[in-house]
Amino acid sequence: MTNSPHADEAGGGRGLFDGFAEYRTPSAEDFQRLFATGLVVVDTNVLLTLYRSNQRTRGDLLAVLDRLRERLWVPHQVLTEFWRLREQSTILGHHSLKAKEVRSALIKAGRSASDALDRWLKQVHVGDDAEISGMIAERREQLDSVLLSLQSLIDGQAGKDALADATDTNTDPVLARLEPILQGRIGPPLADHEHAAALIEAKRRGEHEIPPGYEDFKTKSDERAAGDYLVWEQTLVEATRLGSEVLFVTGDSKEDWWKQRDGNVAARPRPELTQEMLRRTGHRLFMLQPSGLLEQARLVLDLEVETASVRDLEQLQTTTPSGPEWTSEALEALVDLLLGQADVQAYSMLEAAQKDGFVSRAKVYEIGGYAETRMLRGFTRPVKTATKRLEENGVEVGDAEHLFFAVYDRDSDAVSAKGFRIAQEVVPLLRPIAQKILGEDPSSA
């Protein structure tokens, strides 16, 4: 059976997948072949993820890239975006920023607890009771000690995961590992006239919602929004030159790259991209997210990759952080809007904020009073819709795609979500809102 887009023109009959290659599920043999002879293209967000990962996950991802170095190729546009975004505080300072957010939340929690105790002492008129006041004072000291201990633990972990010397390119350990891996694997820029033509084509695609990258034209300037298409065009040019299949690895999960998961059918490349790759190069397009790359490397290359690293990459916000970030004010406006039109989603997000970012499937059913037979497909869609409405009303919001998303357990049930998660970076911002609305017992929602 041939994969050629013109098999019937060559004199043979057409096969089941001829003209329908986008429906073919990748096999272990496909990945074995790709890792041996294909072109493995990495997107900007894959390289930036190395700074935002913890120490273990960073090491595993670098080990996989090192093993694949002879197959790797980086479009020039990826490198352009990498150097432009690398020095942002959300990249080099990721772990320090997250530690600071948690420290702030712990300090606020301590103050909130102390204020609550003071109110209670006054309300029940036992403030002049020496015995109870002494016991309260003793417990306050214990609470302060625990909170300080937690802050110290968080700072220690952040110090281990952060890259203190990364601001200097001469001492940046990520660059030290990447430079030999990517030596000779960087593509050239498009010629000036080709670049100008590509910008025009990117804008045309954006206006007609032709993948990839049309989503960026809704929020970015034309030049910045054209980035995804430039990466794609440079990849097509290189794949044509080499006559090679392509494995494109990206942390981007937007619908202008992927045909989204539908029930038990996994996400796969947009059909338009698969067809364009076949038309331009005569070869198939394969796509993976970084977590999928680690998983396939473990299975196919027999590399020692920690399962926790795969899961960390699944949960890590991997889209390029080039847009606005969520603020407490925007999140509060979002919750207010959801409470009026999608209260189950609102309370589920608030519950997750109280539980380190995760709300179980069972808890969602409890909050909604749902029957066991009810499906949760499309459960997060109202959150995206409400976010878009806020944006249309002039509220500066963050990424909606990864704010609230389903989590699956591949080992036991790849169809039904085991629960839902909110982005880790918004947990400390959303938690005070949850405490204000739900009170001290989030299960009372």
Side-chain angles (χ1 to χ4, degrees):
M1 183 181 296
T2 178
N3 290 329
S4 170
H6 307 295
D8 53 342
E9 298 175 8
R14 294 182 68 86
L16 183 64
F17 286 101
D18 288 319
F20 300 94
E22 63 268 23
Y23 292 99
R24 187 191 289 272
T25 303
S27 66
E29 291 75 17
D30 288 326
F31 288 112
Q32 288 173 347
R33 186 179 65 256
L34 283 163
F35 290 162
T37 63
L39 187 67
V40 180
V41 181
V42 293
D43 201 1
T44 310
N45 41 55
V46 179
L47 301 181
L48 295 177
T49 290
L50 292 167
Y51 292 98
R52 305 171 74 219
S53 303
N54 62 39
Q55 189 177 41
R56 180 202 60 249
T57 303
R58 182 185 304 129
D60 282 344
L61 183 53
L62 281 167
V64 171
L65 294 178
D66 192 18
R67 180 70 173 271
L68 294 173
R69 68 164 68 190
E70 294 304 316
R71 306 261 53 86
L72 287 179
W73 189 75
V74 178
H76 189 270
Q77 179 65 24
V78 165
L79 204 62
T80 299
E81 294 176 359
F82 171 78
W83 285 115
R84 176 173 62 83
L85 296 170
R86 173 184 168 276
E87 294 181 352
Q88 288 186 348
S89 60
T90 52
I91 301 298
L92 290 186
H94 173 79
H95 294 284
S96 297
L97 283 175
K98 298 311 168 188
K100 182 179 179 180
E101 289 174 2
V102 177
R103 283 199 306 272
S104 177
L106 290 173
I107 291 171
K108 289 180 180 178
R111 289 174 179 167
S112 178
S114 181
D115 290 344
L117 287 170
D118 288 338
R119 287 194 300 273
W120 178 78
L121 287 169
K122 292 178 181 179
Q123 290 167 351
V124 298
H125 310 291
V126 295
D128 56 351
D129 186 319
E131 181 178 2
I132 189 65
S133 295
M135 294 174 66
I136 291 291
E138 181 181 351
R139 300 302 189 276
R140 284 188 181 190
E141 289 181 3
Q142 292 174 352
L143 177 60
D144 290 343
S145 177
V146 169
L147 292 175
L148 286 172
S149 177
L150 283 172
Q151 291 178 51
S152 177
L153 179 65
I154 290 162
D155 287 340
Q157 185 63 40
K160 184 188 300 183
D161 293 331
L163 301 165
D165 299 325
T167 53
D168 185 342
T169 59
N170 296 298
T171 56
D172 181 345
V174 169
L175 295 181
R177 289 288 304 279
L178 272 182
E179 189 169 15
I181 293 173
L182 299 183
Q183 182 64 39
R185 314 307 302 174
I186 309 297
L190 295 172
D192 289 347
H193 69 283
E194 293 172 334
H195 182 80
L199 291 179
I200 294 172
E201 174 63 9
K203 184 172 177 59
R204 183 189 73 81
R205 288 183 175 226
E207 291 172 347
H208 294 87
E209 295 197 347
I210 301 172
Y214 62 78
E215 288 288 338
D216 288 341
F217 277 90
K218 299 175 182 178
T219 58
K220 299 179 182 179
S221 66
D222 287 355
E223 185 174 355
R224 290 287 171 85
D228 279 4
Y229 176 69
L230 292 174
V231 170
W232 175 243
E233 175 62 20
Q234 291 172 0
T235 298
L236 288 171
V237 170
E238 182 67 7
T240 301
R241 185 182 74 83
L242 295 178
S244 174
E245 293 179 302
V246 171
L247 171 60
F248 184 66
V249 185
T250 179
D252 197 332
S253 61
K254 296 194 298 296
E255 66 175 20
D256 55 6
W257 280 107
W258 299 89
K259 187 178 188 305
Q260 299 297 326
R261 182 190 192 102
D262 184 9
N264 60 347
V265 178
R268 58 178 183 260
R270 282 287 295 260
E272 300 94 324
L273 299 179
T274 301
Q275 292 162 6
E276 187 173 10
M277 179 66 70
L278 276 169
R279 188 171 63 253
R280 290 275 297 269
T281 73
H283 292 281
R284 286 181 66 187
L285 169 69
F286 299 81
M287 284 173 55
L288 287 174
Q289 291 193 310
S291 58
L293 179 66
L294 259 62
E295 189 168 15
Q296 291 300 327
R298 180 175 59 187
L299 296 173
V300 175
L301 302 177
D302 198 27
L303 276 175
E304 291 186 7
V305 174
E306 294 283 347
T307 301
S309 296
V310 176
R311 291 177 178 170
D312 286 347
L313 286 178
E314 288 177 342
Q315 296 176 7
L316 183 65
Q317 173 77 28
T318 53
T319 53
T320 304
S322 54
E325 296 186 358
W326 283 103
T327 63
S328 297
E329 292 76 13
L331 287 168
E332 189 162 12
L334 176 64
V335 170
D336 287 344
L337 186 57
L338 287 172
L339 286 172
Q341 60 188 31
D343 59 335
V344 178
Q345 283 80 358
Y347 283 120
S348 296
M349 290 178 64
L350 295 173
E351 170 74 13
Q354 298 272 43
K355 303 293 184 182
D356 296 322
F358 179 79
V359 58
S360 69
R361 179 185 182 87
K363 187 63 182 178
V364 170
Y365 274 76
E366 178 186 332
I367 292 171
Y370 294 155
E372 292 183 1
T373 56
R374 176 167 180 148
M375 300 290 288
L376 293 180
R377 183 179 299 177
F379 182 73
T380 63
R381 192 173 298 126
V383 178
K384 299 181 179 68
T385 301
T387 300
K388 185 176 181 180
R389 181 175 298 179
L390 289 176
E391 191 172 23
E392 290 171 348
N393 291 334
V395 178
E396 190 172 80
V397 298
D399 173 47
E401 190 69 31
H402 297 84
L403 174 63
F404 189 49
F405 55 93
V407 178
Y408 297 86
D409 189 340
R410 293 189 305 272
D411 297 330
S412 60
D413 186 352
V415 178
S416 300
K418 68 177 182 180
F420 298 86
R421 183 173 292 280
I422 56 176
Q424 284 299 311
E425 57 263 34
V426 307
V427 172
L429 301 177
L430 195 56
R431 185 174 289 134
I433 301 171
Q435 291 172 342
K436 181 171 65 174
I437 294 176
L438 302 180
E440 295 183 2
D441 181 10
S443 64
S444 64

